Structure formats: structure tokens, C-alpha cells
Amino acid sequence: MDHTPHGIHVVAKPIGPVCNLACEYCFYLEKKALFGPGEQYRMSDEVLRAFVTNYIASQPTPVVEFVWQGGEPTLLGLDFFKRVIAFQRPLVGLKTINNVLQTNGTLLTDAWCLFLKKHNFMVGISLDGPQAIHDRYRRDRKGGGSFERALRGLRLLQKHQVPYNVLACVARETAQNPLEVYRFLKCQEVEYIQFAPIVERLPDDPSGPSHGLRLAGPASLGRKEDQTRITPWTVESEAYGDFLVAVYEEWVRHDVGKVFVMNFEWALNAWIGNPSPVCIHAQQCGRSLVLEHNGDIYACDHCVYPQYRLGNILGASLPDLAERSRQSGFGVCKESALPRGCLECDVLAACRGGCPKQRFKKTYYGEPGLHYLCKGYKKFFRHIRKYLHAMTQLLENGLPASHIMDAVKGPLLIKRQ
């Protein structure tokens, strides 16, 4: 039996859905419809202090990772994050405390970067590729592109040596330019990249979307979804697979050990047999909660809807809220509701069904619960198997995985060191 303590992961949204950009594909901006008029989208000190104290005290693991997201969290200003550090400081001896800031990068300054460097923040910055690709979807409220401001933010992070990674969203048109995106990021000296596919479904009732939202909520895994129409910006399934394959073929020949693409790291991790570090490819989910600006806790970042509200940080402990989520069946059904088509699939160990929110397609048996990106996932995971097998052999023989770059050029003799 595995007695390793399982931590609780919380993504905090201290400014809720408020952002200085209006990215076409953003699923979170519309969440303003869930709050009343006159809502103050700013986390109070009472909620912030309760969160910091509760999170650190209830975490069974030695490391506590605070993830600050939005909306755009830098809109809160430096003073808010100075209070974050002040509230964390008395508890530093109890745990190792890490902070992660996810930002669009457009508001970063020298002062911001000096602060982030001083307090060892890891920064995730959104950059979809070169200007034409980035600005296709990532525009401000006046319709202006955000590329130049985002790139300036990246340059400031590099200037001040702030640890960072790039989150590159793959929408419908982006998927047509895999090498242009990847080579651009390499030219910017980006070493850590995550590709995030954009998948959103239109609501069941176009004349009156639920809760005033324009996008559909999570799929119902146990029954057929009548509405499977997707948004115009949603990446096509096989095109996403082709995107990953094209980037992988370039990476495996030139950049292993120099550029770290998280999607590829996850695939190798699954091939070796380790548990997935990300919820979308884990057997079960449900321990990655979301804290909204007002203290409300939801079951998942993709499930900030009234029916998934678990409680409020001011009135309950995080372990109790996580357990409430588990007992509701959320997270467990990611595995238990897998259709026969998935259970028989040769890439199940890598995919694990994908994110439940996006499992609104039918299998070839006519069962509900198939992930929208199934064809793309299959194309990608099947294509890279030969490389994963070779890299596993290298690692088992005490050699770095980067030797795969020699193997793709011709036969490689592996000698144990």
C-alpha cells in the first residue's frame, strides 16, 4: 500500500477573472457573470491570511506551492504580493514555501522583477509564438495586440534572471504553424515550454447559456452530450496531434537536454511508469482546488460553476473541502467513468482519458465520455513510442536521454557506464 502523503494543490485567483487583456480563447473572463454587480474583485487581507495559514497547516507534504493566477494577478500591484510574503514569513520554518505567478507579462517592470527575484518566485508567462500568431488571439480590450508588451515582459524576466517558463496556447490557427512557434521560442532563449491545447464547447442552449455564460460547462461523463459543437478557436483534434509530432521531431533531433517541453516530459514520465505530475493525464483528479478572490473554493480550475463550489476558506479547512470533493465523486469518476473504448486503448497509460471537462465525444462503440482530443492524443503518443523506448533504455543504462539525438542519426551502441 502506498503510504506517501498526497498533497493538496490550490490555484489562487486573488483578482478573480479581471484582466487587462481580452484574449479570444480565454475561458475565465466570462466568470464575472457568476458574481453580483459591484463585486470587488480583490482578495481581502482576511481571506489572504486565512488561505496562507490554512494551506501551510493542512499540507501533508514538506513543500507548499502557492500558485497565483487570474485574470491577471499583477493588476493587484506589488503591495498585494508584499503582503503575501509577510503572511508567509512567520510560517517559513514549518514548510518549504514556493510561489508561482502566472501572468500575461504585459505589466511586468524592473521593480516587479526585482521583487520576484528577491523572493524566489517562479513565473509562468503566456507567449503563443511570433507576433502574428500571438496577436491572433491575445489582444487587449481595444483590439490591440499584446505581443510587444508580453515580449518586453519576457526580456525583463531574463534580464533579472527570474526563473520562468512559457505557456504557449495552441488554438485552431496556431496549430498550423508548429515549427514557427517552436523555433521562435527557441530564438528567444526559452528553455521551458508547455503547450496548452484550447478546447471549448458551445453551450447546450445557445439562446440562453447557463448562468449567463457563453461557453459550456464540464461534460457529463455518464451520459451522452447532445451538444458537441465547439468554438471557432478550438484546436482541431488531429491538428493538435500533428502540432506536437512536428515539434517533437525537431526537438528529439536537436534539443533534448537543452529545451524542456513539459508535454514531452510528461509522456516520458508515463512511459517509465511514474504517476502523472499533471491532473489531465493522472488516473484520477480532484485534489487541485481553486480559491477565488472572495474565499470560495471550487473543485477545479475548469469547474468554477455554482454546482462545483465546495465551501469558503473562512469557514472550512482545505483537507475537509478536498474530501468533500472526493466524496462527491469528482475526480474519481475521471477513472471510473472511462468508456470501454478508452480501457482498450493502447495509449491509455499516457492519456488516462484527458481532462473530464472535455470528454464530450462518443467512442466507436457509441459510449459517452471520450475526450475531444482523442485522435490527436493517439497520433502523438503512438508516434513517439519508438523514441520513448530508446530514451528509457538510455536511462536504464546510466546514459542521459540526450543521447537519443545520436540514435536518430543511425544505430547507437549503448554501453553501461
Side-chain angles (χ1 to χ4, degrees):
M1 182 178 292
D2 181 10
H3 295 286
T4 304
H6 296 286
I8 301 168
H9 182 69
V10 178
V11 173
K13 294 177 177 288
I15 199 166
V18 176
C19 188
N20 62 319
L21 299 185
C23 300
E24 184 176 357
Y25 54 53
C26 182
F27 72 94
Y28 212 78
L29 290 177
E30 69 170 8
K31 297 303 170 71
K32 281 187 178 182
L34 301 178
F35 302 97
E39 179 75 15
Q40 298 298 311
Y41 293 100
R42 187 180 187 90
M43 186 175 286
S44 68
D45 283 356
E46 179 186 18
V47 170
L48 177 60
R49 189 189 299 274
F51 170 50
V52 169
T53 304
N54 195 329
Y55 195 29
I56 293 173
S58 62
Q59 194 68 271
T61 55
V63 178
V64 182
E65 183 176 81
F66 287 83
V67 179
W68 308 96
Q69 200 184 81
E72 177 48 48
T74 58
L75 285 169
L76 290 167
L78 269 172
D79 285 346
F80 175 85
F81 287 94
K82 288 177 180 178
R83 292 198 298 279
V84 168
I85 298 300
F87 291 155
Q88 290 175 346
R89 188 173 291 118
L91 304 170
V92 166
L94 301 177
K95 302 280 184 179
T96 298
I97 299 174
N98 296 330
N99 285 287
V100 178
L101 179 72
Q102 182 63 43
T103 176
N104 60 39
T106 62
L107 301 177
L108 292 177
T109 61
D110 284 307
W112 264 107
C113 291
L114 286 168
F115 171 84
L116 296 170
K117 177 66 175 177
K118 177 181 179 181
H119 295 288
N120 302 309
F121 273 68
M122 165 63 75
V123 176
I125 183 170
S126 296
L127 186 63
D128 286 358
Q131 185 164 9
I133 293 173
H134 179 93
D135 283 348
R136 169 62 184 85
Y137 297 103
R138 301 189 63 82
R139 308 183 77 82
D140 61 28
R141 297 190 176 279
K142 295 181 180 179
S146 63
F147 173 79
E148 292 182 357
R149 286 170 284 172
L151 191 62
R152 183 187 66 215
L154 176 64
R155 293 281 180 262
L156 287 169
L157 293 172
Q158 294 170 332
K159 170 186 172 182
H160 293 281
Q161 299 182 320
V162 179
Y164 72 91
N165 56 52
V166 164
L167 177 66
C169 291
V170 184
R172 181 164 303 191
E173 293 184 25
T174 315
Q176 307 306 314
N177 303 280
L179 295 184
E180 189 176 352
V181 170
Y182 180 60
R183 290 169 182 170
F184 167 80
L185 294 175
K186 282 203 301 178
C187 285
Q188 308 313 309
E189 300 180 342
V190 174
E191 295 180 357
Y192 295 89
I193 305 167
Q194 178 184 338
F195 292 116
I198 298 297
V199 178
E200 292 296 340
R201 188 167 53 102
L202 293 170
D204 296 332
D205 182 3
S207 63
S210 178
H211 309 296
L213 305 177
R214 65 179 181 138
L215 302 173
S220 299
L221 300 184
R223 62 177 175 81
K224 175 186 173 184
E225 288 286 352
D226 294 325
Q227 208 316 78
T228 60
R229 292 181 302 121
I230 53 175
T231 61
W233 53 86
T234 289
V235 65
E236 294 174 327
S237 179
E238 290 196 63
Y240 180 61
D242 290 334
F243 179 96
L244 291 178
V245 166
V247 175
Y248 196 98
E249 284 291 340
E250 172 109 348
W251 173 82
V252 81
R253 283 166 169 74
H254 306 290
D255 302 316
V256 181
K258 296 180 287 186
V259 177
F260 300 87
V261 180
M262 296 301 100
N263 312 67
F264 305 163
E265 301 288 324
W266 303 333
L268 179 59
N269 186 75
W271 182 269
I272 293 171
N274 295 329
S276 174
V278 289
C279 56
I280 56 173
H281 295 312
Q283 286 183 275
Q284 297 182 3
C285 57
R287 297 187 69 83
S288 294
L289 309 179
V290 166
L291 171 72
E292 255 293 350
H293 66 287
N294 61 359
D296 284 347
I297 299 285
Y298 293 85
C300 170
D301 186 30
H302 289 282
C303 296
V304 178
Y305 298 93
Q307 64 269 37
Y308 294 99
R309 181 182 177 276
L310 301 171
N312 191 284
I313 194 71
L314 296 178
S317 72
L318 286 169
D320 287 346
L321 293 170
E323 179 62 15
R324 190 176 302 171
S325 176
R326 190 193 69 80
Q327 288 182 352
S328 73
F330 182 86
V332 176
C333 65
K334 182 181 190 295
E335 179 181 25
S336 62
L338 281 172
R340 175 185 169 190
C342 290
L343 296 174
E344 294 177 353
C345 181
D346 58 320
V347 299
L348 174 62
C351 169
R352 295 296 176 188
C355 176
K357 182 184 179 183
Q358 298 156 356
R359 283 166 53 179
F360 53 83
K361 302 290 282 185
K362 293 187 298 182
T363 70
Y364 47 77
Y365 294 119
E367 312 158 289
L370 182 69
H371 199 280
Y372 167 78
L373 291 175
C374 175
K375 291 181 179 179
Y377 281 150
K378 281 183 178 178
K379 180 173 284 192
F380 171 61
F381 290 129
R382 286 171 176 169
H383 181 88
I384 66 173
R385 275 193 290 214
K386 56 184 178 290
Y387 300 120
L388 297 178
H389 178 70
M391 281 192 272
T392 301
Q393 286 186 310
L394 288 167
L395 294 171
E396 288 175 347
N397 283 276
L399 296 169
S402 58
H403 278 28
I404 190 69
M405 292 186 288
D406 296 320
V408 296
K409 298 172 185 175
L412 178 68
L413 179 63
I414 297 176
K415 293 183 178 180
R416 189 183 299 272
Q417 291 183 337

